Amino acid sequence: MKHAEFYQRDRNVHPPALTPNYKTSAARSPRYAPISLQNSLSEITGPVFGHGDIDPIDRDLIRNYAKDGDPVGERIIVHGRVLDENARPVPETLVEIWQANAGGRYRHRKDTYLAPIDPNFGGCGRTLTDENGYYYFRTVKPGAYPWRNWVNNWRPAHVHVSVFGSGFVQRLITQMYFEGDPLIPHCPIVQTIPDPDAIEQLIAKLDLNATIPLDSIAYKFDIVLRGRRSTLFENRLEGN
Amino acid sequence: MPQTLHYLRETASQTAGPYVHIGLAPGAAGFHIYDQELGHDIAGPNARGQRIRVEGLVIDGTGSAVKDVLLEVWQANADGYYAHPEGGKEVEDGFRGWGRVITDFETGEWGFDTVKPGAVMGRHGRPMAPHLNLWIVARGINLGLNTRMYFEDEAQANADDPVINLIEWERRRATLIARRDGERDGVPRYRFDIRLQGEDETVFFDI
């Protein structure tokens, strides 16, 4: 059996390991160059998830932790497709998200920001893309919050997103931002990415067509994972 | 004008941040939301082969343990096959070969139970020594770090491994070898500390 390789990762799209304005990277960034590895089976395979792993309500952050009512905040739909660099959909892949509540507070034992915890909001969700790579979540818009980096840094509103793809080389964690947020250009974490177009690609667009009238506003966020070769004679991973 | 190539560009990575647990290990963040958190059982009940435990620390450039890491493992079964449509052969029922662990908030220790993988066929028909593929994310890590863990007690296979042999600096190869650290209840333990910086910085791969 022959296996197709994935395109090499374009490292210019991603933030470098050492980004001094995001201070925590200073002691946590490798100093040596990573060793480039051509794909073997260990890289082109990856975990497979199914509907038995998750529950349909997991994608609904308005209901999946609600105790005695809805969470406070702007009701939003976050939806889009997971595609590869060939613009082909990535079906049946696991997408996981997490975020702060509308006040900018995380439900986490280590978060001590003074904004209140929302008793009806957990802040995490997960879903599988459908056969067309499509996914959606219902949630509330997260608030901006301050963080200790420089004295006065604020994170723009954001949703953390984790995606698998079909091979372990496609594994990705990123953050989704919201169109029009004035904090985006001031955020040292956003600005770890040197390429302005790559930053633009992290900003979800307001999608009026997908809003639910009198109910929820919508943002569209497509996620692109690494593409895979299809030219057969380039495919030889093993044999000869 | 030449034609345009209509490739999309990969979405840029951003750090998993300090609150990665909320999304990927909510129990550790301090609340119960899912009936089933993913990644706790790597090998499943029917896995063939030797049960093992793997433990370690992730150590930063100041020599301190990193206490907010999330680590994922991807591995073959004891016969060297991955639980994937292109993994080679059917694997045991319940064997996923993927797991997710976090470090202890106080000590930075992480650990997981699994089975020792078999040798996996590599490129050009050259077998790769038994190994675990690891992926590390945390606050301050802008793009998840990929590395491999090999086993001290596979010295000959390691010496022949095509990936280990790609590493030009022989003394750095040792950073990928887990040390055998006794047994507990008949289960061998392996120790694998990952160093993000410093003289013994772990070898990371651009895969």
Side-chain angles (χ1 to χ4, degrees):
Chain A
M1 185 172 179
K2 305 289 189 204
H3 301 285
E5 297 177 44
F6 287 85
Y7 302 143
Q8 71 175 358
R9 178 162 257 160
D10 180 353
R11 292 246 158 192
N12 295 320
V13 162
H14 297 284
L18 176 60
T19 47
N21 285 344
Y22 173 30
K23 292 182 181 179
T24 317
S25 74
R28 296 183 171 195
S29 44
R31 288 295 186 270
Y32 296 123
I35 308 283
S36 292
L37 214 54
Q38 289 177 282
N39 292 176
S40 73
L41 272 181
S42 297
E43 286 78 37
I44 65 163
T45 58
V48 176
F49 301 96
H51 291 280
D53 289 315
I54 59 173
D55 219 300
I57 194 150
D58 293 351
R59 71 159 76 97
D60 184 355
L61 284 74
I62 288 185
R63 298 304 313 162
N64 71 6
Y65 196 74
K67 303 296 183 215
D68 54 10
D70 285 349
V72 172
E74 235 180 285
R75 297 159 66 88
I76 65 168
I77 308 273
V78 174
H79 77 131
R81 295 172 79 198
V82 180
L83 304 167
D84 72 8
E85 288 168 307
N86 299 310
R88 287 192 284 242
V90 182
E92 305 289 321
T93 198
L94 183 65
V95 182
E96 298 163 291
I97 64 169
W98 67 100
Q99 62 168 91
N101 68 22
R105 174 77 182 266
Y106 285 98
R107 183 176 287 279
H108 192 288
R109 65 180 80 198
K110 297 281 185 188
D111 189 0
T112 55
Y113 180 40
L114 47 80
I117 292 275
D118 184 333
N120 293 310
F121 191 67
C124 65
R126 56 190 185 181
T127 189
L128 291 174
T129 57
D130 71 10
E131 67 275 16
N132 299 312
Y134 180 76
Y135 75 92
Y136 71 92
F137 291 97
R138 188 168 75 148
T139 183
V140 295
K141 190 172 177 188
Y145 59 84
W147 60 298
R148 289 176 187 281
N149 186 61
W150 300 331
V151 168
N152 188 23
N153 278 134
W154 293 78
R155 293 300 328 274
H158 63 279
V159 177
H160 296 266
V161 184
S162 160
V163 201
F164 279 83
S166 62
F168 211 51
V169 293
Q170 290 178 302
R171 190 81 180 85
L172 184 72
I173 283 181
T174 188
Q175 300 181 30
M176 181 201 103
Y177 303 96
F178 293 86
E179 181 182 8
D181 190 330
L183 289 169
I184 292 172
H186 299 287
C187 176
I189 289 180
V190 173
Q191 299 303 326
T192 58
I193 301 171
D195 182 333
D197 292 338
I199 293 176
E200 282 292 310
Q201 207 173 315
L202 297 185
I203 303 174
K205 268 239 184 257
L206 171 69
D207 183 357
L208 274 179
N209 289 340
T211 57
I212 302 174
L214 307 177
D215 182 327
S216 300
I217 207 162
Y219 288 88
K220 183 155 186 288
F221 187 61
D222 288 337
I223 300 158
V224 182
L225 303 181
R226 288 164 66 181
R228 201 172 181 188
R229 294 187 184 188
S230 54
T231 314
L232 281 169
F233 54 75
E234 295 282 6
N235 283 353
R236 290 193 312 194
L237 271 188
E238 54 183 303
N240 307 320
Chain B
M1 282 288 284
Q3 297 180 12
T4 307
L5 286 173
H6 291 287
Y7 290 110
L8 303 179
R9 295 177 88 198
E10 190 189 7
T11 298
S13 171
Q14 290 267 264
T15 178
Y19 305 125
V20 60
H21 317 91
I22 293 175
L24 307 186
F31 65 107
H32 174 82
I33 186 163
Y34 298 139
D35 288 338
Q36 184 184 199
E37 282 193 23
L38 297 170
H40 289 318
D41 190 359
I42 300 172
N46 305 313
R48 294 185 287 273
Q50 175 67 57
R51 296 271 164 185
I52 60 169
R53 176 153 182 93
V54 180
E55 294 172 339
L57 286 172
V58 177
I59 299 162
D60 72 14
T62 74
S64 311
V66 182
K67 297 172 183 173
D68 49 14
V69 168
L70 181 122
L71 190 147
E72 289 186 356
V73 53
W74 173 239
Q75 68 163 96
N77 72 0
D79 305 319
Y81 299 111
Y82 285 100
H84 184 273
E86 298 172 60
K89 270 189 184 167
E90 286 283 298
V91 298
E92 304 92 313
D93 190 34
F95 181 90
R96 178 170 269 159
W98 171 79
R100 177 183 271 172
V101 294
I102 59 157
T103 47
D104 184 277
F105 289 137
E106 307 303 322
T107 64
E109 286 279 345
W110 55 265
F112 53 82
D113 299 300
T114 184
V115 294
K116 191 173 177 185
V120 173
M121 191 50 70
R123 298 173 66 88
H124 309 299
R126 278 185 74 187
M128 298 185 284
H131 64 278
L132 306 177
N133 305 286
L134 301 177
W135 187 69
I136 300 148
V137 294
R139 177 172 67 105
I141 294 177
N142 289 326
L143 173 64
L145 298 169
N146 291 96
T147 188
R148 288 184 175 198
M149 187 199 104
Y150 289 86
F151 296 84
E152 180 181 37
D153 45 19
E154 297 283 348
Q156 189 56 53
N158 293 341
D160 296 336
D161 181 82
V163 169
I164 292 178
N165 280 292
L166 271 180
I167 304 163
E168 180 185 343
W169 308 274
E170 285 184 36
R171 64 177 300 275
R172 296 199 66 206
R173 296 176 187 175
T175 66
L176 301 183
I177 317 282
R179 182 165 50 81
R180 176 85 181 242
D181 189 19
E183 289 189 1
R184 192 163 51 209
D185 304 326
V187 175
R189 291 198 300 175
Y190 292 89
R191 180 81 196 174
F192 189 62
D193 291 334
I194 296 164
R195 289 182 170 76
L196 300 178
Q197 280 177 13
E199 206 175 327
D200 294 316
E201 180 182 308
T202 298
V203 170
F204 297 104
F205 295 106
D206 176 17
I207 63 172

